[in-house]
Amino acid sequence: VAVQYRVHISFTNGTATPVTGCAGAPNSPTQAGLQYGIVYFNGACVGDSTDLFLSAGLIKLNAFPYPGWVFYGWDINGFQVNDALTTYNLTVPVNITPLFSIAKRVAFVTNPPALNVLVDRTSIQTPATGPPSNNGCTPDYTRLPPGAPTGFPVLCVGQFDFLPGSKHQIGAPTPQQDHNGQYWVFGSFSNGQGQNSGYTADNNTATPDIVTANFIQGVSTSLTTNPGGFHITIDGNSTFPPP
């Protein structure tokens, strides 16, 4: 006989519907109604509370929240691990709870549209036709979690699902060019915040936030010195123009 340990997996998310049988996973796991997400234990998909009996050794854990939800950690025998992709060394029976929360949906757009913004120091594209709509939008496959199964549902371009109460840094690359080659300089966000400011996701998960980055039309300017090659200072920054 071989010793195996009980791994009790517990989903505790109120009225959310369990993902029985993982709804087609590992390929194209669909979201039906109010479902929080799925998790993988050594490559096996689990979408509802269950017991596994596994041999001692490393367990590979990975979690994927469905749109409208956010994953914020694993509770492993009372200790929290924040990373969605992690490993656990199984040596005793263990209780593992994947922690999902209803998300605060935030849509980032720009004025004019289709420019880039910075969300947590990462440059992301915004939609070309205003705030994303669930009735048709451009999916953003670039922000799928690492190792997401084929066909996993994604958010629209410009959309984020944040943990309520979480803090994020927002800004915009400046200057930047649109598709016509016109330069634009970042001005401010529609909530009154400026470059590299802090955005806090509120607890009103029923109403999405729309944050607009407003830009001002820029003009390309060349500055030289006579004679050439001398330093000049622009907005406090010293530069060395070509001769």
Side-chain angles (χ1 to χ4, degrees), residues 40 76 110 190:
Y40 284 80
I76 303 177
T110 59
S190 55

Side-chain angles (χ1 to χ4, degrees), residues 40-232:
Y40 284 80
F41 289 77
N42 288 340
C45 182
V46 177
D48 195 7
S49 297
T50 190
D51 286 322
L52 301 176
F53 290 89
L54 303 175
S55 300
L58 292 178
I59 304 174
K60 183 179 179 180
L61 309 176
N62 208 352
F64 302 99
Y66 280 130
W69 293 80
V70 60
F71 177 81
Y72 62 97
W74 303 90
D75 184 310
I76 303 177
N77 275 355
F79 295 93
Q80 184 167 331
V81 178
N82 294 327
D83 294 334
L85 176 60
T86 188
T87 56
Y88 173 74
N89 188 20
L90 180 66
T91 58
V92 295
V94 65
N95 295 314
I96 299 179
T97 302
L99 303 173
F100 292 93
S101 168
I102 293 179
K104 173 66 179 184
R105 175 66 54 83
V106 181
F108 289 93
V109 297
T110 59
N111 178 29
L115 298 179
N116 284 34
V117 297
L118 296 170
V119 180
D120 292 328
R121 299 180 178 85
T122 299
S123 181
I124 64 114
Q125 182 69 47
T126 63
T129 56
S133 169
N134 291 329
N135 296 322
C137 68
T138 302
D140 187 356
Y141 294 103
T142 66
R143 291 189 293 112
L144 272 173
T150 303
F152 197 81
V154 297
L155 295 172
C156 303
V157 167
Q159 280 185 337
F160 283 79
D161 280 340
F162 290 144
L163 183 69
S166 61
K167 299 181 184 299
H168 306 271
Q169 186 181 80
I170 58 175
T174 187
Q176 56 183 292
Q177 290 177 280
D178 61 20
H179 296 301
N180 297 317
Q182 172 64 53
Y183 279 97
W184 296 91
V185 178
F186 174 69
S188 63
F189 287 101
S190 55
N191 59 9
Q193 293 181 295
Q195 185 73 284
N196 298 326
S197 55
Y199 172 84
T200 301
D202 64 39
N203 293 308
N204 181 11
T205 58
T207 304
D209 261 4
I210 298 176
V211 180
T212 303
N214 294 304
F215 286 78
I216 303 167
Q217 189 168 337
V219 177
S220 179
T221 304
S222 176
L223 299 176
T224 61
T225 63
N226 185 16
F230 285 88
H231 285 274
I232 57 176

